[in-house]
Amino acid sequence: MRPTPKDDSLIRNQAYIDGQWVDALSGETFAVTNPATGDVLTNVSRCGAKETAHAIKAADTAQQLWKKTSAKERFAYLMKWHDLMHEHLEDLALLLTLEQGKPLAEAKGEVLYGANYVRWFAEEAKRVYGDTIPNATSDTRLLVIKQPIGVVACITPWNFPNAMLARKIAPALAAGNTVVCKPANETPLSALALAELADRAGIPAGVINMVNGITPEIGEEITSNPIVRKLTFTGSTPIGKKLTADSARTMKRTSMELGGNAPFIVFDDADLDAAVSGLMISKFRNAGQTCVCSNRIFVQSGIYDAFVERLNKAVSELVVGDGRSEGTSIGPLVHERAANNVRALIEEAVSKGATSKSFAIDELPNACFVAPTILTDVSDDMRIFHEEIFGPVAPIFKFDTENDVIKRANDTPFGLAAYFYSRDIGRVWRVSEALEYGMVGINAGAISNEMAPFGGVKESGQGREGSKYGLDDYLEIKSLCMGGIDT
Ligand code: SIN
């Protein structure tokens, strides 16, 4: 197991403001730990409101020049950054595994996933088209141009510390904005390594800024500071609601990619092996810590036993361990608190009559680990039906009819991702249209990529990331009415 990156100058532990690596004004730091071992990896500058205000000012100054660069120049900067991500793939993946826990193969997948967003938006920078509109009066002409919003704040989570940041910074920069980022305190190293690579790519000082530390202070400065014109956040629904409300004080645009409670429905006409494979991806990716992870697995009664049997076999093949070890498929959860939450959900379900089957060959290394678990005999009154699990636990609910399962699948305030397996074309259309979700996987367990719009409805948020729609969230529409044409 390689303990550190080959290029150790990728390990940055200060804030990145106006192109400089700086300590917190207080000189304070906080520890970043490896959840697989409990080892402290390094200590990172613990910034607060003052450093954030400084970063916002730097971003504002830099934006005055950045917005004047041509689309082709921004394309070139972003592509250089993208190429460096590929060049340093192994190191970026190792840092990610060390601080977050996911298996190295998944970490590499995440780095490439993030780089794909950068390449996509580098290209999209060249396609920010305006419009001409038929004239409303004979001596006027109407046009629409699209312009950058200004300074964008990006607050990102620990479950995808590389890709979520790339997916926000890339469209922001492509559109001509500058950014102030607050990566999760659990996983700042992946983020700071991206800032280091942006610096090496020659992205000008102040265009990307990054602060970690006292989250409430940083959040308050971001949401109250009038210079910040947009806030994009990926994280929990309660925090998203607070950030949206706080941002209303200065009428910022917001994009919120929040929690989910994804149904995964297997109809009796499904290809069962394909459904099990799809579920393994959508449930156990990142040890169940994604907001698009299947949360409630609904299986039609006629195939319930056969499905559960095949799923048991697939889950028994998962290997729990340190993400750096060859063959590991399930790493630790991000911290013990997260693991305790998952254990509490299992305990509550069991106390109400669920049957729990855990799969782990060896003793778990520490309290951050949760063994992959299948829950049967579950019912809709259990917490696990209503709450995002964020762990490697698969509760299997039984259903009888299409109408019944659609009603239960939609019985949640969340609406991010949903999945179903069926080979009946009529049912495929009916169910796709009836599910109240922003993304639906049909006979597919992996739905995220840079070309597809990512985002939810209801309390799962607003806005879309990636795809041809993703840049609109970072642009203002300006209408130009030109008069005096006839004179
Ligand atoms: C997330 O969990 O927030 C993102 C998952 C994805 O991009 O697939």
Side-chain angles (χ1 to χ4, degrees):
M1 286 195 289
R2 198 150 54 84
T4 53
K6 276 188 232 131
D7 178 350
D8 61 10
S9 57
L10 279 179
I11 306 179
R12 289 291 185 172
N13 54 10
Q14 292 166 294
Y16 183 64
I17 301 177
D18 204 10
Q20 305 292 317
W21 293 101
V22 292
D23 289 330
L25 291 169
S26 64
E28 286 177 16
T29 59
F30 63 93
V32 182
T33 51
N34 177 346
T37 59
D39 294 341
V40 173
L41 297 167
T42 186
N43 292 292
V44 168
S45 301
R46 187 168 174 271
C47 300
K50 285 202 180 106
E51 296 87 340
T52 308
H54 181 191
I56 292 170
K57 201 156 179 292
D60 190 34
T61 306
Q63 208 253 333
Q64 305 316 314
L65 291 177
W66 184 251
K67 70 181 177 191
K68 297 205 169 105
T69 55
S70 70
K72 278 197 172 187
E73 283 171 305
R74 295 197 295 278
F75 163 83
Y77 280 120
L78 286 170
M79 283 309 294
K80 180 89 183 107
W81 193 33
H82 161 272
D83 294 348
L84 287 169
M85 290 177 192
H86 275 259
E87 203 179 298
H88 295 278
L89 171 63
E90 301 285 333
D91 279 352
L92 292 174
L94 179 60
L95 273 180
L96 211 168
T97 295
L98 282 169
E99 64 179 351
Q100 201 273 345
K102 69 178 65 175
L104 258 181
E106 273 193 52
K108 278 187 206 161
E110 179 180 337
V111 175
L112 295 174
Y113 178 45
N116 284 347
Y117 280 100
V118 177
R119 186 176 54 204
W120 174 265
F121 283 113
E123 291 286 356
E124 286 295 285
K126 296 184 276 182
R127 299 189 190 105
V128 179
Y129 301 120
D131 266 317
T132 57
I133 297 177
N135 47 332
T137 60
S138 60
D139 74 335
T140 57
R141 298 291 182 271
L142 293 175
L143 298 109
V144 167
I145 58 170
K146 291 188 183 170
Q147 292 187 300
I149 293 182
V151 174
V152 174
C154 312
I155 305 184
T156 52
W158 48 259
N159 62 343
F160 288 87
N162 174 302
M164 294 305 100
L165 204 53
R167 166 154 117 182
K168 294 183 190 310
I169 297 176
L173 267 55
N177 306 292
T178 54
V179 294
V180 174
C181 307
K182 159 64 179 76
N185 284 343
E186 290 85 348
T187 54
L189 303 184
S190 297
L192 294 168
L194 285 185
E196 166 65 23
L197 292 181
D199 196 79
R200 293 186 198 176
I203 293 179
V207 171
I208 296 177
N209 303 275
M210 233 171 248
V211 285
N212 273 99
I214 311 165
T215 304
E217 266 192 33
I218 297 172
E220 173 58 22
E221 182 59 35
I222 282 175
T223 52
S224 65
N225 194 318
I227 297 171
V228 175
R229 293 312 319 146
K230 177 185 167 90
L231 168 60
T232 167
F233 170 70
T234 296
S236 75
T237 293
I239 303 288
K241 286 182 181 174
K242 174 163 169 44
L243 290 170
T244 305
D246 291 353
S247 295
R249 293 175 298 181
T250 47
M251 284 308 286
K252 295 183 205 314
R253 286 262 290 276
T254 55
S255 295
M256 295 284 146
E257 203 266 89
L258 309 176
N261 183 1
F264 185 103
I265 307 167
V266 189
F267 287 101
D268 51 14
D269 59 77
D271 173 339
L272 282 199
D273 288 328
V276 169
S277 305
L279 180 60
M280 292 305 289
I281 298 167
S282 87
K283 174 71 253 183
F284 294 102
R285 173 176 171 228
N286 200 13
Q289 303 171 106
T290 88
C291 55
V292 291
C293 271
S294 295
N295 215 52
R296 295 167 295 155
I297 299 130
F298 294 104
V299 181
Q300 201 153 11
S301 31
I303 48 145
Y304 183 90
D305 291 340
F307 182 84
V308 171
E309 192 187 318
R310 290 183 208 199
L311 185 65
N312 266 276
K313 182 167 177 320
V315 176
S316 70
E317 285 160 13
L318 292 171
V319 179
V320 179
D322 188 318
R324 288 171 296 166
S325 304
E326 191 69 37
T328 294
S329 41
I330 299 282
L333 299 200
V334 69
H335 41 50
E336 198 173 322
R337 200 163 20 97
N340 287 341
N341 287 342
V342 176
R343 283 188 276 269
L345 285 174
I346 299 174
E347 278 158 25
E348 195 258 1
V350 169
S351 75
K352 287 189 169 158
T355 305
S356 162
K357 186 161 177 194
S358 286
F359 298 80
I361 300 160
D362 303 317
E363 202 181 315
L364 297 172
N366 67 38
C368 293
F369 286 84
V370 174
T373 302
I374 293 178
L375 289 178
T376 48
D377 304 314
V378 278
S379 55
D380 300 12
D381 62 344
M382 295 173 180
R383 274 178 58 205
I384 207 140
F385 183 92
H386 301 279
E387 294 177 29
E388 199 170 23
I389 303 169
F390 247 61
V393 181
I396 326 277
F397 300 82
K398 207 181 267 191
F399 74 93
D400 289 317
T401 66
E402 187 180 306
N403 281 345
D404 163 47
V405 78
I406 288 173
K407 203 157 161 275
R408 288 164 75 193
N410 288 339
D411 181 18
T412 168
F414 299 103
L416 192 59
Y419 307 82
F420 70 93
Y421 277 70
S422 167
R423 286 179 290 191
D424 172 332
I425 189 69
R427 170 174 276 163
V428 164
W429 274 105
R430 282 193 305 277
V431 177
S432 300
E433 288 172 0
L435 288 170
E436 296 164 357
Y437 288 83
M439 298 171 278
V440 180
I442 304 149
N443 299 320
I447 55 171
S448 315
N449 65 69
E450 75 282 9
M451 295 187 281
F454 191 104
V457 300
K458 293 161 72 178
E459 296 195 15
S460 288
Q462 40 172 300
R464 291 294 178 271
E465 298 193 304
S467 81
K468 69 168 183 168
Y469 306 103
L471 214 51
D472 289 343
D473 276 16
Y474 294 87
L475 289 162
E476 293 287 11
I477 287 177
K478 185 181 276 181
S479 159
L480 305 180
C481 179
M482 301 175 66
I485 306 291
D486 279 349
T487 54

